[in-house]
Amino acid sequence: MTLISSKSLTLPEFLSLTDPDGDITYELVDGEAIPKMSPKFFHSRLTLALSSILDRWNQGRGEVGIEWAIILSKNDRDWCPVPDLLYISLERLGDIPLTDEACPVPPELVIEIISPEQSFSSLSEKAVDYLKAGVSRVWIVDPRAKQITIFYPDAPPAIKKGDDEISDILLPDLTLTPGQIFAKARLS
């Protein structure tokens, strides 16, 4: 990614930036292109497991994306985060044609997996920012604690471990447990 200017980037400027090597993912935060943490093994296994589970459940309900940037707003500024996974329904997408661009509307679900270099508190702040920007649910997956914290716009976060059931009206007919997710990732 070429960062020649020290001035604050606009959303179109950020979206037009290119990384010649293509091996670093950036997020637009407060006008700056910020590199995203490089995933490690547990993170990678969980991304694969969750993607597989969501894709199998999805069956034409919408789109499941891995590291698909989202065009949002944070503190009245353009914000373009890149969640580990997301789900957006066909209803929410409406008639918007999908191109090889950032997701144009807030999805129902964003999933962030804690990497070794990240803290739960920093991702919790990000979860609140996602909710304020119109995302309906945020899951923070903690590989070390083997738990998932679910953030809601109108209720306190819920911590799910082991055989605790995860189900949500926004994800009809999807019922799973953290234990199933960690087992599928071969991290149980």
Side-chain angles (χ1 to χ4, degrees), residues 37-46 84 112-124 140-149 159-162 178 181-182 185-188:
M37 295 282 171
S38 177
K40 306 296 187 274
F41 180 67
F42 289 176
H43 187 288
S44 177
R45 296 293 316 154
L46 283 163
D84 294 315
E112 292 282 5
I113 301 165
I114 301 175
S115 293
E117 302 85 9
Q118 293 175 308
S119 69
F120 177 79
S121 65
S122 68
L123 282 181
S124 293
I140 296 180
V141 181
D142 187 335
R144 284 167 281 191
K146 292 192 175 42
Q147 68 183 29
I148 298 172
T149 304
I159 297 172
K160 304 290 187 172
K161 296 179 178 185
I181 294 167
F182 287 100
R186 297 192 303 268
L187 299 175
S188 53

Side-chain angles (χ1 to χ4, degrees), residues 28 32 54-55 86 93 102 108 118 127 148 170 176 185-186:
L28 177 66
E32 290 185 56
L54 289 173
D55 198 52
L86 66 77
L93 280 170
E108 278 88 350
Q118 293 175 308
I148 298 172
L170 291 177
L176 66 162
R186 297 192 303 268

Side-chain angles (χ1 to χ4, degrees), residues 5-25:
S5 174
S6 62
K7 73 176 182 86
S8 184
L9 294 169
T10 65
L11 181 62
E13 289 169 336
F14 173 77
L15 293 174
S16 69
L17 293 174
T18 58
D19 178 10
D21 299 325
D23 58 355
I24 299 175
T25 301

Side-chain angles (χ1 to χ4, degrees), residues 20-64:
D21 299 325
D23 58 355
I24 299 175
T25 301
Y26 290 84
E27 298 182 314
L28 177 66
V29 181
D30 296 327
E32 290 185 56
I34 307 294
K36 191 171 172 178
M37 295 282 171
S38 177
K40 306 296 187 274
F41 180 67
F42 289 176
H43 187 288
S44 177
R45 296 293 316 154
L46 283 163
T47 300
L48 183 62
L50 283 160
S51 174
S52 174
I53 290 166
L54 289 173
D55 198 52
R56 191 173 331 109
W57 162 81
N58 180 34
Q59 298 299 311
R61 298 172 195 258
E63 295 292 334
V64 174

